[in-house]
Amino acid sequence: MPVEPLSQKEIEDRLAELPGWSLDGDRIARTYRLGTHFAATAMVVHIAQVQDKLDHHSDLTLGYNTVSLTVNTHSVGGAVTEMDFKLARKVEALAPGHGAQ
């Protein structure tokens, strides 16, 4: 089944279910704060594993004690799709295990 861009309403509805996530231009985005640099680094590695499994990758930025993601779907011209929200939900599920806020 081909991936289709989501409408603005669909994006807003899905973002309402993901506290902390927002629309940033043509991407959905979230920044997590963690207790230490090591915890942030471990979370980045965990997210990278999830992304490889999904074969869907975000722009992922590691700060001292932060992890930031921005994601859209390049195969549909950089629009936001359900694939982006699937990744966001998986990241949300793993974040508490790293102490991310």
Side-chain angles (χ1 to χ4, degrees), residues 35-96:
T36 65
H37 181 66
F38 187 81
T41 302
M43 185 170 167
V44 165
V45 171
H46 198 170
I47 292 169
Q49 291 171 327
V50 168
Q51 291 180 144
D52 277 352
K53 191 171 187 175
L54 291 175
D55 193 26
H56 190 61
H57 301 82
S58 68
D59 288 334
L60 188 54
T61 304
L62 171 64
Y64 170 72
N65 67 341
T66 60
V67 175
S68 298
L69 293 89
T70 61
V71 62
N72 62 10
T73 304
H74 300 284
S75 63
V76 293
V80 176
T81 69
E82 184 56 40
M83 289 176 59
D84 304 316
F85 283 98
K86 182 176 183 179
L87 175 58
R89 287 188 294 271
K90 289 193 176 285
V91 172
E92 280 296 301
L94 69 82

Side-chain angles (χ1 to χ4, degrees), residues 19-32:
W21 285 84
S22 62
L23 187 60
D24 183 10
D26 64 348
R27 300 167 172 266
I28 58 171
R30 171 90 152 84
T31 296
Y32 295 92

Side-chain angles (χ1 to χ4, degrees), residues 10-21 85:
E10 290 170 319
I11 293 168
E12 290 169 4
D13 290 348
R14 284 165 178 76
L15 284 172
E17 299 169 359
L18 288 169
W21 285 84
F85 283 98

